[in-house]
Amino acid sequence: MNEKPAGGFGHLLVERSGGIGGMLLVWEVDIDASTRRDELGPRIAELPWSDSGQSDGVVQSDDAPQATGADRFAYLIESRYGRVRFGETQMPPEWKRLVDDVREVAEPQRRQPG
Amino acid sequence: MVSQSVVPFHSVVPPYLLDAIAERGAERFPKAAAAAASCRMSDESCRNLRLAGLRYTPPADLGRDESALAPPAPAGLQRLVHDAQNTEVLPGELVRSEGEEPVDDEPVNEAYDGLGASYALFSEVFGRDSLDGAGMPLMASVHYGKDYDNAFFDGRLMVFGDGDDEVFTGFTGSLSIIGHELSHGVISHTADLEYLGQPGALNEHCADVFGALTQQHDAGQNAEDADWLIGAGIFTPEVTGRALRSMIEPGTAYDDDVLGKDPQPAHMDDFVTTDSDNGGVHLNSGIPNRALALAAIAVGGPAWESVGQVWYSVLTGAEITQRTDFAEFAELTIAEAADQFGAGSDVHDAIVSGWETVGISHAGSARGNQGSSW
């Protein structure tokens, strides 16, 4: 999928919460405006958004991604293709690579939770 | 002879062998057994076995050696500090074991000393031998990751990042943080509160409680003289803040242009509903934190002798569940205070008042309420 989809690839948002400090950091990238659009856009489009982590964005006791151990980070990744949540240790390699790439191209913003 | 067989160190040691070494090798090879236990926590890196000079006997041979099968003697304090060498591979290289002299690496020594102080609280005050109550080695890894802004408990191992040197310094620099992480280990072996929503916030709360008590006990400090801060000193001088959290004044630990304002609520009216942070476990813990700190200060004196006793009994008791919520936990502490100190005692009344102040309402008694009016 190398063609730019109608309406573009849109924005990608990575939110990191938790950790012992409970602080919220957000990295956001406008993929279409990014110098790495041709690399990131198709990768994002091809990720299994509906089959990874917890995809409905609602934290429920029985199906929430449980952290392996306490004080680990929790991640939310969101784009026009979907929304997924992972515990820090439960993120598949392709998603971790995406998070690492986004952290390279975007400055983190600290936000208030809730 | 145990020494006749040698672990093929070029390959990963099978888990059943690590189990055998860890569970049955402690008497002869305490360091190796501890290192084996350390390796079991991760599929990665078993170099500790080699560093510990381990020679193993297959389980069949162990079966012929009565002494090797004997249960290990109570272990007491056994610390194993590893260096993750700025990777995310755990546990890393074993760099300081119990009884060894300090090394030329301050985070290693801080972790070693911090584990000792935390162990001392649980052992001397609550009569608990390590995380599992049975002398489990205390294992830590320092220098985890690159610029890693966190400390965590991964189920067996306490792990500390170095921080980014812009916002955070190293996480071993705070005794309350080391105590917090070790306390997560105790919690996982006792109530094992689900790490989500209110039970998750209670998990964080209890880790903060015993982290703070570790620091106060180590300093011989009374509740009214304590700062009730978690993570004091881990911010760089560039940050406008005192600590990660204030137990006595949640929401006031920092207020910084970059970090923003400490978002912890201090009252149920401000309870944070969020999908982030496993349902705000590090946020809403401020509410029970304030209740405990208020009670401890109202009673005065060493908090580990008053409210600390109540909290430990509830945490390790039979009535708490993995999904206990704030109101149920409050009821358990009040009932426990009545049991231990008497209904109407200073401790009991202070705990009742603490919960009332943070807006945890009475929703019926989990233990009959012992005649309390709360």
Side-chain angles (χ1 to χ4, degrees):
Chain A
M1 185 173 184
N2 294 319
E3 294 294 319
K4 181 176 178 178
F9 291 108
H11 286 245
L12 179 72
L13 179 144
V14 174
E15 174 197 284
R16 190 188 78 183
S17 63
I20 188 173
M23 295 177 180
L24 190 64
L25 266 72
V26 173
W27 293 263
E28 188 166 7
V29 182
D30 179 348
I31 300 298
D32 299 303
S34 168
T35 57
R36 295 176 66 178
R37 171 206 169 277
D38 291 344
E39 174 205 350
L40 289 175
R43 270 174 52 202
I44 292 165
E46 290 170 2
L47 282 167
W49 290 89
S50 59
D51 300 325
S52 301
Q54 177 201 351
S55 59
D56 64 2
V58 178
V59 176
Q60 293 177 347
S61 181
D62 292 332
D63 61 3
Q66 292 292 296
T68 303
D71 293 328
R72 301 297 303 240
F73 291 123
Y75 285 89
L76 164 69
I77 306 171
E78 186 174 348
S79 78
R80 60 171 293 178
Y81 300 100
R83 189 182 201 214
V84 295
R85 290 179 183 275
F86 296 103
E88 184 179 7
T89 59
Q90 298 158 327
M91 192 180 295
E94 65 270 27
W95 291 96
K96 186 173 191 323
R97 187 171 149 234
L98 176 65
V99 169
D100 290 343
D101 285 346
V102 169
R103 292 178 65 172
E104 280 184 15
V105 300
E107 288 294 316
Q109 299 171 16
R110 294 187 183 271
R111 294 186 184 171
Q112 292 293 100
Chain B
M1 286 291 292
V2 169
S3 62
Q4 287 176 342
S5 301
V6 179
V7 171
F9 284 116
H10 57 278
S11 63
V12 175
V13 181
Y16 68 88
L17 292 179
L18 294 175
D19 288 346
I21 294 162
E23 291 166 9
R24 286 171 274 175
E27 190 172 354
R28 287 189 176 187
F29 307 106
K31 287 184 183 177
S38 169
C39 282
R40 286 190 302 176
M41 81 189 70
S42 170
D43 292 334
E44 315 267 5
S45 181
C46 285
R47 284 175 294 172
N48 291 341
L49 291 169
R50 179 167 38 201
L51 290 169
L54 177 67
R55 301 292 183 272
Y56 86 92
T57 296
D61 288 346
L62 281 171
R64 299 187 198 109
D65 185 339
E66 292 300 319
S67 63
L69 278 177
L77 177 58
Q78 289 190 64
R79 289 166 284 187
L80 294 164
V81 182
H82 304 77
D83 182 352
Q85 300 173 321
N86 296 116
T87 72
E88 295 187 6
V89 178
L90 291 174
E93 181 180 340
L94 181 63
V95 289
R96 190 175 175 194
S97 299
E98 187 62 40
E100 292 182 353
E101 293 296 314
V103 298
D104 189 22
D105 186 342
E106 196 55 28
V108 171
N109 300 326
E110 288 171 342
Y112 183 91
D113 293 342
L115 294 181
S118 306
Y119 179 93
L121 172 76
F122 284 101
S123 175
E124 295 169 12
V125 174
F126 305 117
R128 184 178 191 84
D129 186 6
S130 190
L131 310 185
D132 61 352
M136 175 181 176
L138 299 178
M139 293 173 287
S141 285
V142 301
H143 302 308
Y144 177 81
K146 189 172 182 346
D147 298 330
Y148 193 73
D149 285 338
N150 198 17
F152 61 86
F153 176 72
D154 83 340
R156 287 202 170 188
L157 184 74
M158 290 148 275
V159 183
F160 303 92
D162 290 333
D164 55 22
D165 270 339
E166 293 177 349
V167 174
F168 293 104
T169 62
F171 282 75
T172 53
S174 166
L175 179 55
S176 59
I177 285 183
I178 296 174
H180 175 104
E181 297 307 338
L182 189 145
S183 298
H184 274 307
V186 173
I187 294 163
S188 74
H189 282 277
T190 54
D192 197 21
L193 288 152
E194 183 180 51
Y195 206 63
L196 188 70
Q198 287 197 19
L202 287 172
N203 192 318
E204 280 301 315
H205 159 63
C206 288
D208 277 354
V209 167
F210 295 106
L213 293 188
T214 293
Q215 188 163 292
Q216 293 171 26
H217 179 254
D218 187 63
Q221 194 172 43
N222 289 335
E224 60 271 31
D225 300 323
D227 60 17
W228 294 97
L229 295 173
I230 301 298
I234 66 157
F235 287 138
T236 64
E238 282 70 41
V239 174
T240 306
R242 297 177 292 160
L244 291 176
R245 288 187 280 281
S246 168
M247 295 181 70
I248 188 64
E249 296 177 299
T252 68
Y254 57 88
D255 190 353
D256 180 82
D257 289 344
V258 174
L259 286 184
K261 187 177 184 305
D262 175 2
Q264 276 211 311
H267 192 279
M268 282 302 286
D269 287 350
D270 301 313
F271 186 91
V272 179
T273 301
T274 176
D275 289 342
S276 301
D277 186 26
N278 296 293
V281 298
H282 292 89
L283 304 176
N284 293 314
S285 55
I287 296 167
N289 275 358
R290 178 164 166 75
L292 172 124
L294 286 170
I297 292 169
V299 173
W304 59 89
E305 293 178 359
S306 57
V307 295
Q309 293 291 336
V310 172
W311 257 245
Y312 181 78
S313 294
V314 169
L315 180 68
T316 57
E319 295 179 65
I320 192 169
T321 74
Q322 288 184 293
R323 294 190 176 183
T324 291
D325 64 17
F326 283 4
E328 292 164 344
F329 189 82
E331 288 186 29
L332 290 175
T333 60
I334 289 168
E336 183 63 35
D339 282 351
Q340 283 194 32
F341 296 93
S345 64
D346 288 349
V347 174
H348 174 264
D349 289 352
I351 291 172
V352 169
S353 176
W355 288 118
E356 286 178 346
T357 300
V358 301
I360 306 288
S361 61
H362 188 205
S365 172
R367 291 172 57 174
N369 214 17
Q370 309 283 328
S372 168
S373 60
W374 186 81

